[in-house]
């Protein structure tokens, strides 16, 4: 896995903090955006550009002098604050200003920026004076060409609180990574990331990271209008054209269209990928690994399959790379969620309990394939080790093309209409009976569910746990209300004995009078 997204998280927070502390003195002649000549532009033209690029050998995007860029480390990059007065639409023309990010050690490739109005595109000209860095900053040694833009931020609307002092609500920086705030964006909360595409994560081949090599921005005249962004994707194995319609509300909703054109065969093509970090949680924690009870940006994969079944798969930090495929046809949605919202469960000043969730809703029939979850071992929170994505069933071979449309919602919870109880906790411990010798190789699982229709059960009425294991023996199954006086809060616990080291796939849901009253809990257990 790349560290791009984790470094971006650190840098984005650092840049905003440093901006407030290190505002430079006003220049006599501050830089203003300069634009190139106008040329016709449309999404169809961008698709044709991507299609044509896929017929030629791949050429990496230009890089400013690598020897200089490598010196723009964490601290040096933090001093390269973009001058907000020079932001695109800082004074008008669109409700949401856009500022730009500089290349650096972690983002060494240049990205072309363009503005589109009335079907005409003009390039945005890079000028080192757009960034508030002193004359002795190492970035001043870069030549004017190629451009040293690496990404951009979409800022809050003008006309309210000072947008120059607020966190951006959408960011695109590094390869094809992008992210947005959820409903806690006013508290500076970002977390997991999305990507334009994922190529071969969790395979025996090195993972490939194509780049968004150019962006085009259309204005949003009113705050209720979406910000329209077009992007050209390019990499060794494919090229692509993207259209993003970004809407700012309680959280952020992105309507995304993509057209992909393959140069080469791709072992594992990931559509609408989400990337996150999971180190440990209440489920299982090694003694003394960290002082905090939980550390993760997301704690589970939620799915709504083509048959309308809601699934919840708690994340693992496995002993080795693990890839789980959930076969489906015409999926209705999937996402990486942070369900545990209690600060006491984290005790961390970065406020993991406020991290956003991201939900992918296919628009149209995506056909047959699988939601695929890749989990990579990690021993620290600095690594992104989780990928969730859609993998089409048919092989991704050279010369093929694809078009996908989907809605990506950055919120605090599942945006789908969910009528059943949710799984809210998974805990593991030693199996057997208290006060007696614990049998070797037996693990106890405790799974909690909360919500309707469990809160409407009659006195003395109990749901029935339905538990299935891919191998091993299930015993000591019990169901009870959690003794916290919270209506609709139930837990089931059971023992599993499984010999050998092969993973065990577990499945559980609650039913009442032959009807499911909870989503389906899935878990991959690695015996030890």
């Amino acid at each position: 896995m790349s560290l791009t997204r984790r470094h971006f998280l650190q840098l984005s927070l650092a840049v905003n903090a440093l901006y407030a502390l290190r505002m430079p003195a006003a220049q006599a002649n501050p830089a203003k955006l300069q634009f190139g000549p106008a040329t016709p532009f449309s999404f169809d033209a961008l698709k044709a550009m991507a299609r044509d690029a896929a017929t030629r050998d791949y050429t990496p995007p230009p890089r400013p002098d690598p020897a200089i860029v490598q010196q723009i480390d964490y601290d040096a990059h933090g001093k390269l604050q973009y001058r907000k007065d020079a932001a695109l639409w800082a004074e008008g023309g669109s409700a949401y200003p856009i500022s730009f990010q500089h290349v650096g050690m972690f983002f060494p490739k240049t990205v072309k920026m363009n503005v589109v109005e009335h079907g005409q595109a003009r390039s945005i000209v890079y000028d080192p004076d757009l960034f508030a860095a002193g004359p002795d900053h190492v970035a001043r040694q870069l030549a004017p060409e190629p451009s040293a833009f690496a990404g951009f931020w979409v800022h809050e609307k003008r006309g309210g609180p000072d947008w120059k002092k607020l966190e951006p609500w959408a960011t695109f920086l590094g390869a094809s990574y992008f992210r947005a705030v959820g409903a806690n964006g006013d508290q500076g909360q970002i977390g997991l990331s999305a990507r334009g595409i994922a190529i071969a994560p969790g395979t025996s081949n090195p993972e490939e990271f194509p780049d968004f090599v150019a962006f085009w921005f259309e204005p949003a005249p009113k705050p209720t209008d979406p910000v329209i962004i077009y992007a050209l994707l390019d990499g060794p194995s494919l090229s692509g054209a993207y259209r993003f319609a970004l809407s700012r509300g309680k959280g952020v909703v992105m309507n995304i269209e993509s057209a992909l054109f393959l140069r080469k065969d791709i072992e594992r093509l990931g559509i609408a990928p989400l990337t996150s970090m999971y180190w440990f949680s209440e489920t299982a924690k090694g003694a003394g690994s960290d002082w905090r009870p939980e550390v993760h940006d997301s704690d589970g994969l939620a799915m709504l399959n083509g048959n309308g079944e809601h699934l919840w798969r708690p994340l693992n930090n496995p002993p080795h790379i693990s890839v789980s495929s959930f076969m489906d046809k015409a999926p209705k949605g999937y996402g990486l969620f942070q369900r545990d919202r209690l600060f006491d469960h984290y005790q961390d000043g970065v406020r993991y309990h406020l991290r956003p969730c991201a939900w992918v809703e296919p628009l149209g029939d995506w056909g047959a394939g699988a939601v695929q979850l890749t989990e990579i071992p990690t021993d620290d929170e600095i690594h992104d080790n989780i990928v969730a994505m859609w993998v089409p069933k048919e092989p991704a071979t050279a010369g093929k093309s694809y078009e996908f449309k989907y809605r990506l919602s950055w919120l605090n919870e599942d945006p789908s209409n969910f009528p059943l109880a949710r799984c809210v906790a998974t805990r593991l411990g030693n199996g057997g009976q208290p006060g007696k010798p614990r049998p070797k190789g037996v693990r106890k699982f405790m799974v909690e569910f909360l919500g309707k229709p469990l809160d409407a059960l009659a006195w003395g009425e109990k749901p029935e746990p339905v538990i299935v294991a891919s191998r091993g023996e299930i015993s000591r199954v019990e169901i009870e209300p959690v003794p916290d006086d919270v209506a609709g809060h139930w837990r089931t616990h059971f023992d599993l004995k499984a010999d050998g080291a092969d993973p065990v796939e577990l499945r559980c849901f609650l039913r009442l009078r032959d009807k499911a009253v909870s989503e389906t809990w899935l878990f991959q257990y690695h015996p030890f």
Side-chain angles (χ1 to χ4, degrees):
M1 288 292 294
S2 167
L3 296 188
T4 299
R5 209 278 299 181
R6 181 60 48 187
H7 284 132
F8 166 58
L9 169 59
Q10 297 166 341
L11 285 171
S12 61
L13 295 174
V15 168
N16 269 14
L18 287 167
Y19 188 83
L21 294 173
R22 301 179 180 175
M23 283 292 290
Q27 291 182 330
N29 296 297
K32 295 294 184 181
L33 283 181
Q34 302 294 320
F35 303 94
T39 57
F41 178 83
S42 68
F43 190 34
D44 285 340
L46 183 60
K47 291 180 184 179
M49 190 185 306
R51 184 185 302 110
D52 181 62
T55 65
R56 302 189 304 271
D57 291 340
Y58 169 68
T59 300
R63 297 190 181 204
D65 190 335
I68 296 174
V69 172
Q70 281 301 303
Q71 298 178 55
I72 306 176
D73 58 11
Y74 179 89
D75 184 61
H77 198 277
K79 295 174 182 176
L80 285 168
Q81 303 104 28
Y82 189 84
R83 297 183 184 278
K84 302 295 176 59
D85 289 339
L88 180 62
W89 302 312
E91 303 299 331
S94 182
Y96 299 101
I98 292 176
S99 66
F100 302 100
Q101 295 300 298
H102 204 281
V103 297
M105 177 186 293
F106 302 118
F107 317 108
K109 301 176 185 177
T110 188
V111 181
K112 295 179 181 179
M113 304 295 178
N114 306 269
V115 63
V116 178
E117 294 182 287
H118 310 299
Q120 297 290 310
R122 293 186 297 162
S123 62
I124 299 171
V125 179
Y126 168 75
D127 182 343
D129 288 335
L130 294 169
F131 295 85
D136 297 330
H137 194 286
V138 65
R140 293 285 184 174
Q141 301 175 29
L142 291 172
E145 294 291 338
S147 162
F149 290 135
F152 65 90
W153 289 351
V154 183
H155 292 274
E156 298 290 357
K157 66 183 179 182
R158 297 187 320 277
D162 189 352
W163 63 269
K164 298 177 183 178
K165 297 180 180 179
L166 299 175
E167 296 284 347
W169 57 270
T171 57
F172 287 67
L173 182 61
S176 68
Y177 283 83
F178 60 97
R179 63 173 357 140
V181 300
N184 295 316
D186 58 341
Q187 301 183 53
Q189 283 300 303
I190 51 178
L192 79 166
S193 297
R195 285 193 261 171
I197 203 73
I199 296 180
T203 68
S204 57
N205 294 319
E207 187 171 356
E208 182 182 317
F209 294 89
D211 299 283
F212 284 138
V213 297
F215 291 103
W216 290 259
F217 309 102
E218 281 188 357
K222 302 186 296 296
T224 53
D225 293 332
V227 176
I228 306 298
I229 299 168
Y230 302 93
L232 177 63
L233 181 84
D234 206 16
S237 298
L238 84 174
S239 62
Y242 288 72
R243 182 184 187 273
F244 298 85
L246 280 59
S247 298
R248 181 73 168 110
K250 184 179 180 181
V252 174
V253 176
M254 301 177 175
N255 284 337
I256 302 172
E257 300 178 43
S258 65
L260 304 170
F261 307 93
L262 274 57
R263 283 190 178 92
K264 299 179 179 179
D265 296 350
I266 296 175
E267 180 180 356
R268 185 174 294 161
L269 178 65
I271 306 301
L274 303 173
T275 300
S276 194
M277 180 275 294
Y278 176 88
W279 186 10
F280 61 85
S281 70
E282 65 204 358
T283 300
K285 175 186 174 184
S289 60
D290 192 86
W291 63 269
R292 295 163 292 182
E294 301 189 42
V295 178
H296 49 78
D297 282 334
S298 306
D299 55 10
L301 169 65
M303 292 170 280
L304 177 56
N305 66 22
N307 292 325
E309 184 181 16
H310 289 260
L311 307 168
W312 175 252
R313 165 62 154 76
L315 297 178
N316 275 325
N317 184 359
H320 49 76
I321 295 177
S322 175
V323 178
S324 301
S325 294
F326 305 94
M327 308 305 293
D328 201 0
K329 186 175 182 180
K332 293 181 172 63
Y334 64 91
L336 291 174
F337 286 2
Q338 186 79 313
R339 277 193 177 170
D340 193 333
R341 294 297 185 185
L342 298 177
F343 169 78
D344 287 348
H345 290 188
Y346 299 89
Q347 295 290 326
D348 197 307
V350 302
R351 298 184 291 184
Y352 280 117
H353 65 294
L354 298 179
R355 294 294 199 242
C357 305
W359 177 254
V360 175
E361 178 189 352
L363 301 177
D365 186 350
W366 280 13
V371 174
Q372 200 165 89
L373 175 66
T374 301
E375 298 165 304
I376 300 173
T378 187
D379 59 1
D380 206 329
E381 63 199 287
I382 65 170
H383 305 297
D384 281 341
N385 63 318
I386 302 295
V387 182
M389 61 192 188
W390 174 255
V391 179
K393 179 180 179 181
E394 294 300 321
T397 55
K400 271 194 173 182
S401 63
Y402 301 84
E403 291 201 13
F404 290 93
K405 295 182 181 181
Y406 57 100
R407 180 172 295 118
L408 178 54
S409 300
W410 306 80
L411 300 167
N412 278 7
E413 57 187 13
D414 186 345
S416 65
N417 185 17
F418 190 80
L420 303 178
R422 289 177 166 87
C423 175
V424 294
T426 301
R427 311 176 199 276
L428 275 64
N430 290 328
Q433 186 174 350
K436 294 185 178 181
R438 297 301 176 104
K440 186 178 180 180
V442 177
R443 294 293 278 170
K444 183 174 293 293
F445 291 80
M446 181 83 70
V447 185
E448 295 183 12
F449 295 91
L450 174 65
K452 297 180 179 178
L454 294 178
D455 57 2
L457 297 182
W459 175 257
E461 195 170 30
K462 284 187 175 184
E464 174 193 4
V466 180
I467 303 166
V468 178
S470 61
R471 67 181 192 87
E473 179 184 350
I474 298 291
S475 64
R476 300 181 58 80
V477 178
E478 298 184 33
I479 181 76
E480 62 183 359
V482 178
D484 58 0
D485 298 322
V486 175
H489 195 183
W490 285 76
R491 65 188 178 197
T492 182
H493 43 97
F494 60 90
D495 285 0
L496 169 69
K497 178 176 175 53
D499 297 326
D502 291 340
V504 181
E505 301 292 342
L506 293 165
R507 182 182 181 95
C508 172
F509 70 94
L510 303 184
R511 69 183 175 193
L512 184 69
R513 294 186 291 274
D514 294 328
K515 289 186 177 181
V517 290
S518 77
E519 66 183 355
T520 299
W521 169 86
L522 307 174
F523 193 77
Q524 185 180 77
Y525 170 58
H526 295 265
F528 59 89

